Each structure stands twice: as C-alpha cells, then as structure tokens.
Amino acid sequence: MTEGPRPRPTLRDIATALGLSVNTVSRALGDKDSVSAATRAAVQAEAARIGYVPNTLARSLVLGSAMTLGLVITNPSNPFYAQLISSIELRVRAQGYSLLLLVTDESVENEQRATEALLRSAVDGAVVVPVQAEWDHWRRVRDSGIPLVFVNRDVPELGCDMVGVDYERGSYEATSHLIAGGARRLLLLEEDLPITTTADRITGFRRAMADAGLKVSDDQVQAVPTKRYDSLALPWQPEEAYRFAQTLLTDAHPDGHPDGFVTGNDYFALGLLRALAERDLAVPGDVAITGYGDHPYAAYLQTPLTTVRLPAAEVGTTAVDLLLQRLRAGTERPRKTLIRPELVIRASTGGPPALTNRQEQPSSTPG
C-alpha cells in the first residue's frame, strides 16, 4: 500500500514544535521587529526542517495584494527579449514579488487571452511588450486598476508609462559613423514589419543623412521580405537578407554599388556579408556595414561587426522600478523613458577612429 501525500506543513506545526503561539511564528517569519533574533532564528530553522512554504494566497488576502507582477512578451527567441525577461525576473524576485510570464507570439488573439489571464490572476501590475495592432483589451486592463508599463513599443493612446530603447538614436549614430568614414551611397535594410521600432530606426537613418546634407531617395530605404510576416514570432533569418542583397547588388546603378549599409538587425548584416563576399566586395575596403542588436556572434565573425548594443537589462530593471513606483504613488503623471543604446565599433566599418582603405568618396547619392 502506497502512502498518500503528506499534509502541507503549517504555521501551527512550527508553533507546536517550538512551544510558541501561531502569531509569534507568523511575526518571526515576517521579520517583524517585535520578535527577538533568537526566536526568529529558531522559527526559520524549524520552518526549513519541516519544509514549510508560505501560503501566498492567504498572504495576499491579508495584505490586499497578490504580490505578483505580470510580464507579457512577444517573442522570447529574440535575444533582446531573453535578456529582458531575465533582468525583470531578478528585479521582481529581489522586491519580494512573483512573476507571471505570458507569451503572445506577436498574435493579437494570444495577447487578448493574456489580458484575460492577468485579470483572472489579479496581478498587482504588468510589464508589457505590446503587439501594437489593437489595444482595447489593454484599455480594459488599465481601467480595472492594474497599472501597465509598456516596454520597447508604446501605445500612446492609453497614456501609460513606457520604457524603451532610443532606437532612433542608435540608427542615427550608426549612420553618422558611416558618413564620418566617407560613405555617401548608403542603404538601410530594414524589416518589412509595421512596428514602431522599425519606424524609429528609419527616422534615425533619414535624420543622420539630412544632418550631413545628403539626400535620401526612396530606394535607399529597403524593406527586406521576411518570413516573420507569416509568423511574427519566428526569429530573423540571415538567408532573407542574403537573397535580397543578391538581387540588390546585381541591379546596375550609374553610381555603382552602395559603399555603406545600415541594417536593422545583426542577422540581416550576417546575410549581407555573405552576399558581398560572393561578389568579391571587401568589408570595409569596398563596403562598410553596421548591424543592430550586438548579438553574441557579432564580435566573432571573420570581419567583426560594428553594431548597436541594446541595453536590455537596464530597460527591464527600469520598467520594474517604474511599475513599483506606480503601485506606491498611482497619481503621478505617466512617464516615457528612452534609454540610449551604444554604438560598438569593430572591423566591418574599419574600426575607430574612422573607416580605412576607402578607394573613392563620391559626393552624390543615388537618384
């Protein structure tokens, strides 16, 4: 005959074993000042011996708080979001909260289900990477009294807090770096996706060109057809930029091939590097390239990649801290915080302080 499950250890079990009241045991486990250090140590030791685990539901009823925060993420396969999840979980745990993680896979339907889960779980607040296609379901969460902090993508219609990366600044600095090194015929390879991070990078590219007195024609901003259009949760594929660049580089142009590429992610830069090598175009001698994201492989390519490093951990901890501030002082006005990324200069642009081996520096852009 097998034994059934053991009863869950309780505060009363600890109290009986030590000859204390249940109230004293509860105060000792809650680190109340009214309990001596010796009593607290004895209670904690007995709790560990019998395997006592606090009943968080009962605790939440007493405190009027679930002591749980929600995290709604779009695509955990994205290295940026993987690091974001880790930093948020560490910060939440350090503050005594639990974390409810929900993944939407960039689907509005999944996001709507996630909001229902947040409402059922009665979380205290939530950090959210929104899909950005619809937001009435987020309005319902906000109106229920659950504070929201949007991360990486904003939903300005809801007037909530937002923490993200200054994607426009990162693109501006990458483009300006290429221009400073002598590049004039620049192309931007971006994702063909309707999200604000893509739009911000395009804005940064155009602004840097304008500030340098360079015109930007429509064909200098190229949207790479991506499989993520079919399933937005898929990771980027170097093959997509490789195939696209093969066609791009075979098209004859009166000014010759581009002498600088700004890419919206490191995967696109990886595919581009192969396409350029197959055409015997040297990087950075003939063409300079910047990526975006500083993924782990970027520094270990045969030609290490100049790229924009994203402050994922800082974004995560800032978002949690802002959410906790909102829980303590809900009347404050919503805040939008953009954290500056870092341009990491490597061999794909010639390295600091400027590009090298540039054979020609034309002063005009493609028409």
Side-chain angles (χ1 to χ4, degrees):
M1 182 176 179
T2 59
E3 294 185 5
R6 293 177 55 191
R8 179 174 176 168
T10 65
L11 290 176
R12 187 169 297 281
D13 294 333
I14 301 173
T16 300
L18 298 178
L20 300 172
S21 69
V22 171
N23 185 46
T24 298
V25 171
S26 177
R27 286 186 286 114
L29 290 175
D31 284 334
K32 301 298 183 182
D33 293 337
S34 56
V35 179
S36 69
T39 299
R40 183 180 297 109
V43 169
Q44 291 173 345
E46 180 64 15
R49 188 187 71 80
I50 67 175
Y52 171 76
V53 177
N55 187 324
T56 55
L57 176 59
R59 183 168 180 254
S60 68
L61 291 173
V62 172
L63 298 175
S65 167
M67 295 300 292
T68 300
L69 302 179
L71 173 58
V72 182
I73 209 85
T74 52
N75 180 13
S77 70
N78 183 324
F80 174 84
Y81 289 136
Q83 189 176 359
L84 185 78
I85 292 170
S86 178
S87 66
I88 288 176
E89 196 279 330
L90 286 172
R91 195 68 151 199
V92 165
R93 178 157 32 101
Q95 296 298 318
Y97 284 78
S98 298
L99 187 68
L100 174 63
L101 175 62
L102 300 163
V103 177
T104 66
D105 286 335
E106 295 280 11
S107 161
V108 174
E109 292 75 16
N110 289 345
E111 189 174 70
Q112 290 170 340
R113 283 190 281 270
T115 59
E116 293 299 326
L118 293 176
L119 291 167
R120 287 196 305 271
S121 302
V123 297
D124 297 299
V127 175
V128 177
V129 179
V131 175
Q132 286 190 308
E134 298 177 16
W135 47 82
D136 282 347
H137 45 287
W138 288 121
R139 191 187 308 276
R140 182 183 172 207
V141 175
R142 182 204 62 183
D143 292 347
S144 75
I146 297 175
L148 302 172
V149 175
F150 290 115
V151 167
N152 217 36
R153 308 173 186 173
D154 198 7
V155 184
E157 292 82 359
L158 298 185
C160 296
D161 296 307
M162 185 268 182
V163 179
V165 176
D166 193 342
Y167 284 96
E168 179 180 341
R169 177 95 185 210
S171 182
Y172 179 91
E173 292 185 357
T175 307
S176 298
H177 171 62
L178 292 181
I179 295 170
R184 292 297 180 270
R185 299 188 302 275
L186 274 71
L187 260 69
L188 172 66
L189 298 189
E190 261 299 347
E191 285 197 87
D192 189 16
L193 293 175
I195 52 179
T196 54
T197 50
T198 299
D200 289 345
R201 286 192 296 265
I202 293 173
T203 299
F205 174 79
R206 290 184 176 276
R207 186 164 62 87
M209 294 287 282
D211 286 352
L214 300 173
K215 295 181 179 179
V216 180
S217 60
D218 290 341
D219 63 357
Q220 285 180 263
V221 178
Q222 296 283 342
V224 177
T226 172
K227 294 175 183 177
R228 294 184 70 207
Y229 234 146
D230 301 321
S231 177
L232 298 185
L234 287 172
W236 295 293
Q237 301 294 325
E239 177 189 1
E240 296 164 350
Y242 167 66
R243 300 296 180 194
F244 186 79
Q246 279 185 314
T247 303
L248 191 68
L249 293 171
T250 56
D251 291 341
H253 196 283
D255 290 331
H257 62 75
D259 60 0
F261 280 93
V262 180
T263 64
N265 62 70
D266 288 351
Y267 293 94
F268 283 179
L270 190 59
L272 178 60
L273 282 168
R274 177 180 171 183
L276 291 168
E278 290 178 355
R279 290 186 59 83
D280 293 324
L281 292 172
V283 177
D286 298 313
V287 184
I289 299 176
T290 65
Y292 214 106
D294 195 25
H295 295 306
Y297 62 79
Y300 297 95
L301 299 171
Q302 184 173 0
T303 303
L305 181 65
T306 292
T307 185
V308 178
R309 180 178 294 159
L310 302 178
E314 187 177 355
V315 169
T317 55
T318 301
V320 172
D321 291 346
L322 184 55
L323 181 57
L324 294 177
Q325 290 175 24
R326 179 66 57 193
L327 289 170
R328 299 182 187 114
T331 57
E332 292 183 3
R333 295 183 63 181
R335 281 184 276 172
K336 181 173 181 176
T337 303
L338 294 181
I339 300 174
R340 180 175 177 173
E342 176 189 359
L343 180 65
V344 181
I345 300 173
R346 300 191 180 107
S348 70
T349 60
L355 306 182
T356 60
N357 300 324
R358 184 76 61 191
Q359 298 301 316
E360 57 182 34
Q361 298 184 5
S363 59
S364 62
T365 59

